[in-house]
PDB file of all heavy atoms in Angstrom:
ATOM      1  N   VAL B 124      -7.580   6.357 -16.504  1.00 94.00           N
ATOM      2  CA  VAL B 124      -7.162   4.768 -16.562  1.00 94.00           C
ATOM      3  C   VAL B 124      -8.061   4.127 -17.597  1.00 94.00           C
ATOM      4  O   VAL B 124      -7.525   3.474 -18.414  1.00 94.00           O
ATOM      5  CB  VAL B 124      -7.492   4.312 -15.154  1.00 94.00           C
ATOM      6  CG1 VAL B 124      -7.356   2.792 -15.206  1.00 94.00           C
ATOM      7  CG2 VAL B 124      -6.476   4.776 -14.124  1.00 94.00           C
ATOM      8  N   ASP B 125      -9.362   4.371 -17.579  1.00 93.00           N
ATOM      9  CA  ASP B 125     -10.192   3.698 -18.558  1.00 93.00           C
ATOM     10  C   ASP B 125      -9.763   4.137 -19.989  1.00 93.00           C
ATOM     11  O   ASP B 125      -9.800   3.321 -20.943  1.00 93.00           O
ATOM     12  CB  ASP B 125     -11.686   4.036 -18.302  1.00 93.00           C
ATOM     13  CG  ASP B 125     -12.169   3.362 -17.081  1.00 93.00           C
ATOM     14  OD1 ASP B 125     -11.486   2.449 -16.711  1.00 93.00           O
ATOM     15  OD2 ASP B 125     -13.230   3.867 -16.562  1.00 93.00           O
ATOM     16  N   LEU B 126      -9.466   5.365 -20.130  1.00 92.00           N
ATOM     17  CA  LEU B 126      -9.085   5.906 -21.488  1.00 92.00           C
ATOM     18  C   LEU B 126      -7.856   5.255 -21.961  1.00 92.00           C
ATOM     19  O   LEU B 126      -7.877   4.672 -23.077  1.00 92.00           O
ATOM     20  CB  LEU B 126      -8.843   7.350 -21.306  1.00 92.00           C
ATOM     21  CG  LEU B 126      -8.381   8.072 -22.698  1.00 92.00           C
ATOM     22  CD1 LEU B 126      -9.704   8.205 -23.491  1.00 92.00           C
ATOM     23  CD2 LEU B 126      -7.835   9.385 -22.362  1.00 92.00           C
ATOM     24  N   PHE B 127      -6.914   5.127 -21.130  1.00 90.00           N
ATOM     25  CA  PHE B 127      -5.568   4.482 -21.498  1.00 90.00           C
ATOM     26  C   PHE B 127      -5.726   2.977 -21.839  1.00 90.00           C
ATOM     27  O   PHE B 127      -5.067   2.419 -22.570  1.00 90.00           O
ATOM     28  CB  PHE B 127      -4.482   4.810 -20.549  1.00 90.00           C
ATOM     29  CG  PHE B 127      -3.839   6.196 -20.887  1.00 90.00           C
ATOM     30  CD1 PHE B 127      -4.397   7.267 -20.519  1.00 90.00           C
ATOM     31  CD2 PHE B 127      -2.557   6.030 -21.510  1.00 90.00           C
ATOM     32  CE1 PHE B 127      -3.648   8.534 -20.793  1.00 90.00           C
ATOM     33  CE2 PHE B 127      -1.883   7.300 -21.939  1.00 90.00           C
ATOM     34  CZ  PHE B 127      -2.425   8.536 -21.387  1.00 90.00           C
ATOM     35  N   LEU B 128      -6.691   2.319 -20.849  1.00 90.00           N
ATOM     36  CA  LEU B 128      -6.822   0.988 -21.054  1.00 90.00           C
ATOM     37  C   LEU B 128      -7.520   0.600 -22.328  1.00 90.00           C
ATOM     38  O   LEU B 128      -7.333  -0.447 -22.907  1.00 90.00           O
ATOM     39  CB  LEU B 128      -7.503   0.376 -19.844  1.00 90.00           C
ATOM     40  CG  LEU B 128      -6.650   0.054 -18.636  1.00 90.00           C
ATOM     41  CD1 LEU B 128      -7.383  -0.441 -17.525  1.00 90.00           C
ATOM     42  CD2 LEU B 128      -5.529  -0.853 -19.011  1.00 90.00           C
ATOM     43  N   SER B 129      -8.425   1.504 -22.696  1.00 91.00           N
ATOM     44  CA  SER B 129      -9.299   1.224 -23.897  1.00 91.00           C
ATOM     45  C   SER B 129      -8.587   1.237 -25.218  1.00 91.00           C
ATOM     46  O   SER B 129      -9.010   0.715 -26.301  1.00 91.00           O
ATOM     47  CB  SER B 129     -10.472   2.157 -23.993  1.00 91.00           C
ATOM     48  OG  SER B 129     -10.004   3.545 -24.086  1.00 91.00           O
ATOM     49  N   VAL B 130      -7.499   2.015 -25.324  1.00 88.00           N
ATOM     50  CA  VAL B 130      -6.632   2.100 -26.595  1.00 88.00           C
ATOM     51  C   VAL B 130      -5.484   1.033 -26.473  1.00 88.00           C
ATOM     52  O   VAL B 130      -4.921   0.902 -25.445  1.00 88.00           O
ATOM     53  CB  VAL B 130      -5.973   3.461 -26.659  1.00 88.00           C
ATOM     54  CG1 VAL B 130      -5.296   3.531 -28.038  1.00 88.00           C
ATOM     55  CG2 VAL B 130      -7.065   4.439 -26.604  1.00 88.00           C
ATOM     56  N   PRO B 131      -5.285   0.253 -27.413  1.00 87.00           N
ATOM     57  CA  PRO B 131      -4.116  -0.815 -27.262  1.00 87.00           C
ATOM     58  C   PRO B 131      -2.838  -0.157 -27.079  1.00 87.00           C
ATOM     59  O   PRO B 131      -2.547   0.978 -27.610  1.00 87.00           O
ATOM     60  CB  PRO B 131      -4.126  -1.421 -28.737  1.00 87.00           C
ATOM     61  CG  PRO B 131      -5.490  -1.284 -29.233  1.00 87.00           C
ATOM     62  CD  PRO B 131      -6.029   0.055 -28.710  1.00 87.00           C
TER      63      PRO B 131
END
Side-chain angles (χ1 to χ4, degrees):
Chain B
V124 167
D125 289 341
L126 179 77
F127 271 79
L128 279 180
S129 63
V130 184

